Amino acid sequence: MRNFLTCLATAFMILLAGTALFLCSNAAVYNLAYIFSFLFIAFYAVFAPSTIPSKLVQVILYALIMTAQILFNTLVIRTMSGSSSYNLYKLVGVLVISASFIVRANFFHQTAKTYGFPSGEGHSAISYAQLLYNKEEIIGKINKIKKAGGILSQIELTEIMHQLPRHSSFSYVNNGTLTEEYFQKANETVENGFVYIVVTKSKSLSSDVIGLFTEKEYNHVSLSFDEQLMTIISYNGGKRAVPPGLNEEWIENLTQRNGSVILVYRLPASAEQKEAIIRKIRQINSEGSAYNLLGLVFKESRKPNIMFCSQFVYTMLKFAGLNYFDKKAAQVTPSDFIELDYGRKLEFVRKITLDNMDLESDVDEK
């Protein structure tokens, strides 16, 4: 109970500080917040139990993050003052304070281990094993950081910042983009006995960024009502012509980059279950939707129709009674649909790559 109250009080203080910072329009205060968070996390890293190389890597990395935060504040937030997107960039400026803490939690968090007191005879062997462990751990973390740096290159960061104003995790920005033609195609499939789960390694920018959190190759999942994949649907960032949220998808778009791979599975479903999903999708299309960008980090949704791809697919399956594993929808990842199929409910259909769009199904056509 005491730990719960401590966590609650800490969360309240963080929320209060973040709100105060957001309401403040002084750019210098943002820079002070970035510097303070750097000093705090660097101090913690130096005195936490870890090797000296690990401490050094952490401090350098946190300093680079602080530099990027200050540059973002100087070059973006201050220059956008007075524009319609100013509050959005201020919110991003508040959220990026947590960047160092997220990096530490994902790359440098260590679970406390209890070791028995070693005898003199075994001391050298234990020290050598621990040395190897520390070396491999540090190399692994450095490689993960390099991968993150490669993904978040300057050009791609510019693209991310350009796309951010199109998103909203608090209100619906996508409304009615699905046409009657789509629903007609979907309704024509209700008697075929299956829904199709389409898991994609798209090699896109969004997929790479999501991979930083999931550490998985396949980072997009869609739902289709037919085996020819003419009715693929999911939540995505949208193209320039359509806003982020619930959108129809096509194989050509999912595999437009070299190295893209699609895995297609089918799940038995009655006509009634498929009709229920189609009705629910029609309802979402009518009410409006948005892509749950913040949910990728915080694993929560502000409104029912604000989701990301795996959250959407799981929600639809559960709505029709077709979910074959139990998990909070906002915590489901695309790879979960394959990895958590303990009851072998799915049947593999085929694999599609950019170089071979006509690969035959691995099961007989129904």
Side-chain angles (χ1 to χ4, degrees):
M1 184 65 180
R2 184 175 181 180
N3 290 336
F4 172 76
L5 292 176
T6 301
C7 293
L8 189 63
T10 303
F12 177 75
M13 292 301 296
I14 292 173
L15 179 62
L16 189 64
T19 303
L21 183 60
F22 176 78
L23 295 176
C24 175
S25 298
N26 191 336
V29 176
Y30 277 74
N31 286 341
L32 287 174
Y34 299 145
I35 293 170
F36 178 79
S37 63
F38 162 71
L39 293 175
F40 178 84
I41 195 72
F43 182 86
Y44 186 84
V46 168
F47 290 96
S50 62
T51 62
I52 292 178
S54 178
K55 297 175 190 288
L56 184 61
V57 168
Q58 288 185 66
V59 172
I60 293 174
L61 180 60
Y62 300 147
L64 292 174
I65 291 174
M66 178 191 66
T67 303
Q69 291 169 335
I70 293 175
L71 287 174
F72 175 77
N73 177 42
T74 305
L75 301 178
V76 179
I77 299 179
R78 293 179 66 177
T79 58
M80 295 300 294
S81 179
S83 70
S84 59
S85 303
Y86 182 52
N87 286 333
L88 174 63
Y89 287 111
K90 284 178 63 179
L91 177 61
V92 174
V94 174
L95 294 177
V96 297
I97 292 179
S98 63
S100 296
F101 301 92
I102 292 174
V103 167
R104 176 168 179 82
N106 283 277
F107 297 115
F108 297 101
H109 176 73
Q110 290 181 326
T111 303
K113 299 179 179 64
T114 304
Y115 299 98
F117 187 79
S119 64
E121 182 179 357
H123 185 268
S124 61
I126 293 175
S127 299
Y128 180 67
Q130 188 64 36
L131 177 64
L132 289 179
Y133 171 78
N134 289 337
K135 177 183 176 182
E136 292 173 359
E137 185 179 30
I138 292 171
I139 291 174
K141 289 172 179 176
I142 291 175
N143 288 336
K144 289 171 72 175
I145 294 169
K146 286 182 178 178
K147 180 181 177 182
I151 292 172
L152 300 178
S153 64
Q154 182 177 357
I155 295 176
E156 290 173 331
L157 279 174
T158 302
E159 183 179 344
I160 291 173
M161 295 310 303
H162 177 74
Q163 294 295 326
L164 272 179
R166 302 178 69 239
H167 286 267
S168 174
S169 292
F170 302 97
S171 59
Y172 299 149
V173 296
N174 181 317
N175 186 277
T177 57
L178 297 178
T179 64
E180 283 301 321
E181 180 184 359
Y182 173 82
F183 288 108
Q184 181 179 349
K185 289 189 298 183
N187 283 318
E188 290 172 355
T189 72
V190 296
E191 299 292 344
N192 72 4
F194 298 96
V195 291
Y196 298 83
I197 296 176
V198 183
V199 186
T200 305
K201 178 173 65 175
S202 67
K203 305 301 291 184
S204 65
L205 172 61
S206 58
S207 178
D208 288 340
V209 172
I210 293 171
L212 291 177
F213 297 97
T214 64
E215 298 185 11
K216 302 288 185 179
E217 283 189 294
Y218 291 85
N219 286 305
H220 185 65
V221 64
S222 314
L223 197 63
S224 179
F225 297 102
D226 68 297
E227 189 167 321
Q228 290 70 40
L229 306 183
M230 301 299 292
T231 55
I232 310 177
I233 190 170
S234 190
Y235 270 64
N236 54 52
K239 299 295 180 182
R240 296 189 183 276
V242 293
L246 179 65
N247 290 304
E248 188 176 0
E249 297 180 333
W250 294 269
I251 297 177
E252 294 77 7
N253 291 336
L254 294 175
T255 57
Q256 62 184 348
R257 296 197 180 192
N258 287 329
S260 299
V261 179
I262 292 178
L263 301 178
V264 183
Y265 296 83
R266 67 186 186 185
L267 178 68
S270 67
E272 291 75 16
Q273 289 172 317
K274 295 186 71 170
E275 287 171 347
I277 295 175
I278 295 171
R279 284 196 302 271
K280 186 62 176 177
I281 290 174
R282 183 184 285 276
Q283 178 186 340
I284 295 173
N285 186 57
S286 175
E287 293 175 351
S289 64
Y291 188 81
N292 193 14
L293 193 62
L294 293 180
L296 294 173
V297 179
F298 298 106
K299 306 301 181 184
E300 295 291 343
S301 290
R302 178 66 178 81
K303 290 185 176 182
N305 296 351
I306 298 179
M307 294 182 268
F308 45 80
C309 63
S310 52
Q311 185 179 3
F312 162 72
V313 174
Y314 182 83
T315 299
M316 293 301 100
L317 294 181
K318 187 172 183 178
F319 178 78
L322 291 171
N323 59 306
Y324 47 91
F325 62 91
D326 291 318
K327 198 172 184 179
K328 184 180 178 180
Q331 295 178 344
V332 176
T333 66
S335 59
D336 284 343
F337 291 94
I338 302 173
E339 296 175 356
L340 300 183
D341 182 24
Y342 301 130
R344 298 296 184 265
K345 300 290 186 180
L346 297 181
E347 185 177 3
F348 179 71
V349 177
R350 67 181 181 273
K351 177 179 179 181
I352 303 172
T353 66
L354 176 62
D355 300 324
N356 188 1
M357 296 293 292
D358 298 319
L359 194 62
E360 293 184 358
S361 171
D362 286 2
V363 296
D364 295 334
E365 296 287 342
K366 294 294 181 182

